[in-house]
């Protein structure tokens, strides 16, 4: 090795552009320095590229700090003051002090929920749920009118149940263990096509079939469920063990007997867990579909936004939190119950379930899903 110290080396030698010496150790050190230099250059190019793309993105969306500063007072006004603020103020006078305790007037939210029937209404007379059930003779009967919240839940449940048989069919037929390659790709391709189109677009496609209604929203969720849930079923079937299948086959069972008793029986718990997760996803998707005419809470929220009635919008948002958070919590509990060896740290609490609602609604609306 040469007798020079690191301080004697030139910048080109430091960055690995020149040979440090002739010995194998010095050549290896030169090579390492050059690799390090290349990594730094590539990182710099990457940062510059991200910066350029970020700048172009801001330009495309019309991002303006000046606009935010100008509109900020108007946003603050919309929160607490104005004709219909997000958080309507109220106050309670403290006796003998001349002071008043401010609070958010939740009564205005409740009044709007009742006025627009966002939850449900119970009316005297008629028959239960309007199903034609004759009331008993000793009272006049009641009629339960489901509100927008239950309409959203109904869209999610009906769409999920309608899509479940199709998802099971395509999921099983897409597995190479059931249908040999390359014929299984006919079914895989169909599910890939379904997943390539977001649920919002499926709703627009199906409008000529059933109009702008909750029915169309349920059909869109049915199609969406077929593509996503079917793919998850296929992935589970691809990972099962061969032992039970060979055992069933050794008894002389046919192909139609091997599939249910040798394959589906191994993934029954996983299927139930995925169905619970899919229902949770579809509730949030139903809210997103409501924004474009699919009914329920989403449609009510869109209507109030058009009228700039922020108090009523907040009432809808509160119910969205409660509905999506409740379904997510129930789904999490079902999946936790089905797990054979549940890790103690994997439980999801009530607070976490409700806090994650906005992010999950956005993810579902954009047509993306995460593994539970």
């Amino acid at each position: 090795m040469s007798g020079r110290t690191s301080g004697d080396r030139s910048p080109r030698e430091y960055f690995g552009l020149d040979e440090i010496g002739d010995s194998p150790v010095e050549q290896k050190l030169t090579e390492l320095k050059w690799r390090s230099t290349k990594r730094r250059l590539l990182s710099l190019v990457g940062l510059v590229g991200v910066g350029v793309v970020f700048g172009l993105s801001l330009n495309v969306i019309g991002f303006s700090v000046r606009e935010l500063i100008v509109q900020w007072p108007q946003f603050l006004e919309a929160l607490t003051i104005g004709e219909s603020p997000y958080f309507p103020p109220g106050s309670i006078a403290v006796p003998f002090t001349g002071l008043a305790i401010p609070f958010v007037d939740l009564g205005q939210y409740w009044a709007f929920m009742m006025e627009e029937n966002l939850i449900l209404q119970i009316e005297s007379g008629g028959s239960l749920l309007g199903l034609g059930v004759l009331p008993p003779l000793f009272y006049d009967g009641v009629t339960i009118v489901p509100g927008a919240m239950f309409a959203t839940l109904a869209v999610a449940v009906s769409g999920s149940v309608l899509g479940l048989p199709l998802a099971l069919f395509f999921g099983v037929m897409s597995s190479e263990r059931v249908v040999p390659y390359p014929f299984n790709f006919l079914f895989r391709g169909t599910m890939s096509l379904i997943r390539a189109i977001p649920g919002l677009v499926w709703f627009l496609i199906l409008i000529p079939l059933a109009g702008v209604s909750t029915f169309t929203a349920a059909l869109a969720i049915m199609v969406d469920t077929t593509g996503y849930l079917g793919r998850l079923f296929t992935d589970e079937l691809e990972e099962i063990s061969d032992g039970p299948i060979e055992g069933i086959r050794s008894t002389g069972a046919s192909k139609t007997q091997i599939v249910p008793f040798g394959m589906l029986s191994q993934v029954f718990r996983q299927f139930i867990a995925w169905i619970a997760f899919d229902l949770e996803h579809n509730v949030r998707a139903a809210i997103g579909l409501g924004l474009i005419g699919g009914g329920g809470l989403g449609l009510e929220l869109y209507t109030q936004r058009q009228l700039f009635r922020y108090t009523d919008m907040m009432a809808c948002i509160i119910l969205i939190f409660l509905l999506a958070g409740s379904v997510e919590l129930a789904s999490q509990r079902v999946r936790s119950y089905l797990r054979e060896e549940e890790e103690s740290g994997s439980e999801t609490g009530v607070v976490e379930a409700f806090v994650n609602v906005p992010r999950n609604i956005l993810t579902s609306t954009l047509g993306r899903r995460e593994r539970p």
Side-chain angles (χ1 to χ4, degrees):
M1 294 182 62
S2 65
R4 294 189 303 166
T5 62
S6 58
D8 299 332
R9 303 189 193 284
S10 67
R12 292 182 59 83
E13 289 176 333
Y14 178 79
F15 289 109
L17 299 175
D18 284 343
E19 297 286 346
I20 296 176
D22 297 331
S23 67
V25 174
E26 290 171 328
Q27 291 178 358
K28 185 66 176 178
L29 181 59
T30 301
E31 181 183 350
L32 292 174
K33 286 180 176 296
W34 173 234
R35 288 183 180 177
S36 176
T37 300
K38 286 195 295 185
R39 283 197 298 270
R40 292 171 182 171
L41 291 175
L42 289 175
S43 299
L44 180 61
V45 171
L47 288 174
V48 172
V50 171
V52 171
V53 172
F54 179 60
L56 292 174
S57 300
L58 293 179
N59 185 52
V60 169
I61 66 174
F63 181 81
S64 171
V65 176
R66 180 178 176 277
E67 182 72 14
L68 291 177
I69 296 175
V70 170
Q71 294 295 329
W72 184 252
Q74 182 176 340
F75 175 70
L76 293 179
E77 181 181 352
L79 289 179
T80 56
I81 58 179
E83 184 179 351
S84 179
Y86 281 109
F87 304 103
S91 62
I92 298 178
V94 180
F96 310 112
T97 63
L99 301 176
I101 301 175
F103 66 94
V104 177
D105 188 2
L106 301 179
Q108 294 193 33
Y109 298 147
W110 179 254
F112 175 73
M113 293 175 187
M114 293 297 101
E115 178 184 355
E116 296 296 326
N117 188 23
L118 297 188
I119 304 175
L120 58 83
Q121 287 182 351
I122 300 177
E123 300 175 353
S124 60
S127 56
L128 187 64
L129 288 174
L131 297 177
V133 180
L134 293 176
L137 296 177
F138 54 84
Y139 75 100
D140 294 334
V142 295
T143 298
I144 299 177
V145 182
M149 186 174 70
F150 285 96
T152 297
L153 184 61
V155 168
V157 172
S158 58
S160 302
V161 174
L162 289 172
L164 181 59
L166 294 173
L168 184 61
F169 172 76
F170 279 95
V172 171
M173 299 301 285
S174 297
S175 174
E176 193 172 348
R177 292 172 177 245
V178 179
V179 177
Y181 175 84
F183 301 105
N184 62 323
F185 269 82
L186 173 64
F187 302 96
R188 279 182 176 268
T190 302
M191 291 193 298
S192 297
L193 174 63
I194 291 174
R195 293 195 304 275
I197 301 174
L200 289 173
V201 180
W202 278 115
F203 179 84
L204 299 177
I205 293 174
L206 295 172
I207 284 177
L209 178 63
V212 182
S213 62
T214 53
F215 181 27
T216 305
L219 292 179
I221 287 180
M222 178 193 72
V223 176
D224 197 54
T225 296
T226 302
Y228 280 96
L229 195 58
R231 167 62 188 278
L232 297 174
F233 285 174
T234 301
D235 289 346
E236 294 293 344
L237 289 174
E238 296 292 354
E239 296 177 3
I240 59 177
S241 59
D242 292 328
I245 299 176
E246 295 300 328
I248 297 292
R249 183 177 289 118
S250 65
T251 63
S254 64
K255 189 79 172 181
T256 55
Q257 293 172 322
I258 292 175
V259 171
F261 298 109
M263 299 178 64
L264 297 182
S265 60
Q266 295 190 56
V267 292
F268 177 74
R269 285 174 176 269
Q270 292 89 330
F271 278 10
I272 298 298
W274 281 121
I275 291 170
F277 173 70
D278 189 70
L279 177 61
E280 168 196 332
H281 162 84
N282 286 339
V283 167
R284 297 190 295 267
I287 295 170
L289 293 175
L291 294 174
I292 58 173
L297 288 174
L299 179 60
E300 192 66 38
L301 178 63
Y302 175 78
T303 302
Q304 299 309 317
R305 192 211 51 93
Q306 294 288 85
L307 299 174
F308 296 98
R309 300 187 63 83
Y310 301 127
T311 302
D312 299 340
M313 285 177 59
M314 184 54 67
C316 297
I317 293 170
I318 290 173
L319 288 181
I320 288 173
F321 267 76
L322 293 175
L323 176 62
S326 300
V327 174
E328 179 174 347
L329 180 63
S331 174
Q332 292 278 3
R333 292 301 87 206
V334 169
R335 297 203 301 272
S336 296
Y337 177 76
L338 292 173
R339 277 197 294 269
E340 294 182 352
E341 295 181 1
E342 179 180 331
E343 299 179 0
S344 58
S346 65
E347 295 187 0
T348 300
V350 177
V351 176
E352 182 182 353
F354 281 91
V355 168
N356 291 333
V357 165
R359 175 180 59 83
N360 293 332
I361 288 177
L362 179 61
T363 303
S364 302
T365 303
L366 296 177
R368 296 178 296 182
R369 299 189 181 197
E370 299 174 349
R371 295 180 72 90

